[in-house]
Amino acid sequence: MDHRSDRRPPEGVGPAGAGPDADPRSGPAAGGPGADPGPGPDSPGFGGDPEARRLAFLMHAAFFLLLGASLTRFLMRHPGEARTPWIIALSITLAVLYLLGPVLGSRPTPRRVAWLGVLVVVWMVLVVLAPSFAWCAVPLFYTGLRILPPRAALALVALLTAFVVAAQLRLATGFDPNLVLAPPAVAAVATAVFVHMRRQAVRQGELAARQRELIDDLLRTRRELAATERREGTLAERQRLSMEIHDTLAQGLSSQQMLLQAADRTWSTDPAAARRHVRTATGIAERNLAEARRFVHDLAPADLAEGGGLEAALYALAARESAQAEGALTVHCHVEGAPAAPLPDRVQSALLRIAQGALANVREHSGATAAGLTLTHLDDRVVLDVGDNGRGFTVEPAGVRGHGTVRGHGIPAIRARVRQLGGALTIESAPGEGTVLSAGIPLAPTPSTAPPPTAPEDPA
């Protein structure tokens, strides 16, 4: 079969654009219209992102366009030749084989490698019969690079490049160094670009995997932190509830117990006094019931919930303690100054609980006949003083509990409340000289006040 007819000058466009009116470096091997835009979604390490799918679509379209252009050119240049049916049949076979590639999957399985081998062999036969089909080389470069291991892929690229060079030399009218050197150079650049893209994709995949691991670690850490905060919140709430119960329900129940015991002792000898004790115990029970209901709602002190603020609640507390003592203890209340802004609810609640706890200690342990509540509003803090004329005691350092004490939760609970608000607690007492308890709570600074000074807590 005579192949010299493909060497005539009128056929001037070869795989590298050889011919009298074209630059040899403008063909597909130089990245022209037939150049492969890059690997598709079936390439290992590139992933199935939309951009890769678009590039794969362009690459496949370019292959079929180049194949159709090569066949059309051959039929126009060589109509009626004996090899024409073979060229048409091989072109259709090459197109069908190329279409089967995505069906076989993206992994380099033996069946897919065999498919690539058959595809390359059919293309080589076409190039031997009609050198202009070398235009389809670059899409085959990338197909081989996607499927084969690196060394085998490089060997395939070298083989395809040799066929491209041979086809260009057959179509050229004379020897041209560009036709020999340009295709290998372009093939090397295309291969380097593909390898670089693959490595970048692998690195991006590793980075994405690492980011997923970091996100998983972050989510796990957040869950652990949330669980820890819930546990700490539960413990803090338990401590708070224990202080609330001690300062309200427990004190009320203790008072009821003493009143009922006194009524039982005087039931026969002094029925009127016994009835007074019972009525007082009934009043305390009603108050405790109100506190219990308040616990169910929002755990706010019942005196504060009734309105009037902290001052009204302290006055009511003093009157109630005096009435319950039936003359044995008189409690006075005094307020100095006025707050520049309403006290926060938590400060009001804490000060009322401190007053309740301190008066409970006065009633049960001091033997006092008079006690006083003094609430002082300063620029940067509010101070609550609770004093009595009782028997007094020896003040021990904070955190030390006296030996032999039956009840020891009152002062520690008061101290804890003060510390929670960043305040300071001072206790002044001596045997036979009464006791003064002073709790100072700092307030948030306002534009007209300076930041509150930090006062160390008294060791007592």
Side-chain angles (χ1 to χ4, degrees):
M1 182 177 297
D2 185 10
H3 301 294
R4 289 177 295 176
S5 59
D6 274 341
R7 303 189 192 113
R8 294 178 298 170
E11 286 191 318
V13 184
D21 56 354
D23 183 68
R25 293 167 292 180
S26 64
D36 189 357
D42 57 343
S43 59
F46 280 90
D49 58 279
E51 185 67 22
R53 286 194 293 269
R54 284 193 292 268
L55 292 176
F57 174 78
L58 292 176
M59 182 188 69
H60 298 328
F63 176 82
F64 287 108
L65 180 62
L66 292 172
L67 181 62
S70 300
L71 179 60
T72 302
R73 177 181 179 278
F74 178 83
L75 294 178
M76 292 175 62
R77 299 287 182 175
H78 311 283
E81 289 192 7
R83 56 180 171 162
T84 300
W86 291 100
I87 296 296
I88 295 174
L90 289 173
S91 299
I92 296 174
T93 303
L94 185 63
V96 173
L97 286 173
Y98 195 87
L99 286 173
L100 290 176
V103 178
L104 298 177
S106 61
R107 297 183 179 277
T109 59
R111 184 174 60 175
R112 188 162 172 79
V113 173
W115 163 82
L116 178 61
V118 174
L119 186 70
V120 172
V121 168
V122 173
W123 174 80
M124 289 180 176
V125 174
L126 270 174
V127 173
V128 171
L129 294 178
S132 60
F133 280 91
W135 278 86
C136 302
V138 175
L140 295 179
F141 285 172
Y142 283 99
T143 303
L145 289 170
R146 290 199 308 269
I147 296 175
L148 297 177
R151 291 184 179 180
L154 293 178
L156 177 62
V157 169
L159 177 62
L160 297 179
T161 304
F163 266 77
V164 170
V165 172
Q168 289 187 104
L169 292 176
R170 288 176 60 191
L171 291 174
T173 57
F175 179 79
D176 186 349
N178 283 337
L179 302 180
V180 178
L181 300 178
V186 174
V189 172
T191 303
V193 170
F194 180 89
V195 172
H196 175 73
M197 292 175 63
R198 170 172 287 182
R199 289 178 178 175
Q200 287 292 104
V202 171
R203 281 195 290 267
Q204 290 177 359
E206 293 175 350
L207 179 61
R210 178 59 180 165
Q211 288 177 343
R212 287 193 296 270
E213 292 178 0
L214 292 176
I215 291 174
D216 293 340
D217 292 341
L218 177 61
L219 293 176
R220 182 170 56 255
T221 303
R222 290 180 61 182
R223 288 194 295 267
E224 293 174 355
L225 179 60
T228 301
E229 291 178 348
R230 285 195 297 270
R231 286 194 297 269
E232 292 178 353
T234 300
L235 294 177
E237 184 66 12
R238 288 178 178 175
Q239 180 182 8
R240 189 178 74 88
L241 286 176
S242 68
M243 293 188 296
E244 294 283 348
I245 293 173
H246 172 271
D247 294 340
T248 56
L249 300 181
Q251 300 293 350
L253 292 173
S254 176
S255 299
Q256 292 178 57
Q257 182 183 24
M258 290 188 298
L259 290 169
L260 293 176
Q261 288 174 349
D264 182 65
R265 288 193 301 268
T266 60
W267 191 264
S268 300
T269 59
D270 191 353
R275 283 192 292 271
R276 286 196 304 272
H277 292 325
V278 171
R279 285 194 296 269
T280 304
T282 301
I284 296 175
E286 292 176 354
R287 194 70 195 172
N288 277 7
L289 180 59
E291 290 285 356
R293 288 172 177 170
R294 184 58 54 187
F295 282 146
V296 174
H297 290 288
D298 55 4
L299 297 180
D303 288 329
L304 293 177
E306 293 174 355
L310 177 61
E311 291 83 356
L314 292 177
Y315 279 112
L317 174 64
R320 188 167 57 252
E321 290 289 336
S322 299
Q324 292 175 1
E326 297 181 346
L329 174 65
T330 302
V331 181
H332 300 279
C333 181
H334 178 65
V335 177
E336 294 183 0
L343 295 178
D345 292 341
R346 60 195 305 260
V347 174
Q348 295 189 52
S349 178
L351 290 175
L352 179 58
R353 296 306 190 197
I354 291 171
Q356 290 174 336
L359 289 180
N361 285 341
V362 170
R363 184 179 61 251
E364 296 181 18
H365 305 296
S366 70
T369 59
L373 297 175
T374 303
L375 181 67
T376 305
H377 294 285
L378 302 176
D379 292 338
D380 60 348
R381 63 183 54 232
V382 58
V383 180
L384 174 66
D385 296 319
V386 183
D388 66 75
N389 63 351
R391 64 176 64 95
F393 63 96
T394 301
V395 179
E396 297 182 355
V400 178
R401 299 177 60 174
H403 299 286
T405 10
V406 177
R407 300 178 57 83
H409 190 64
I411 297 300
I414 294 174
R415 196 182 303 277
R417 288 185 187 279
V418 174
R419 284 178 176 174
Q420 287 175 358
L421 296 175
L425 178 68
T426 303
I427 301 176
E428 299 178 0
S429 182
E433 297 183 5
T435 303
V436 176
L437 180 147
S438 179
I441 307 298
L443 302 177
T446 61
S448 60
T449 60
T454 301
E457 184 179 343
D458 189 89

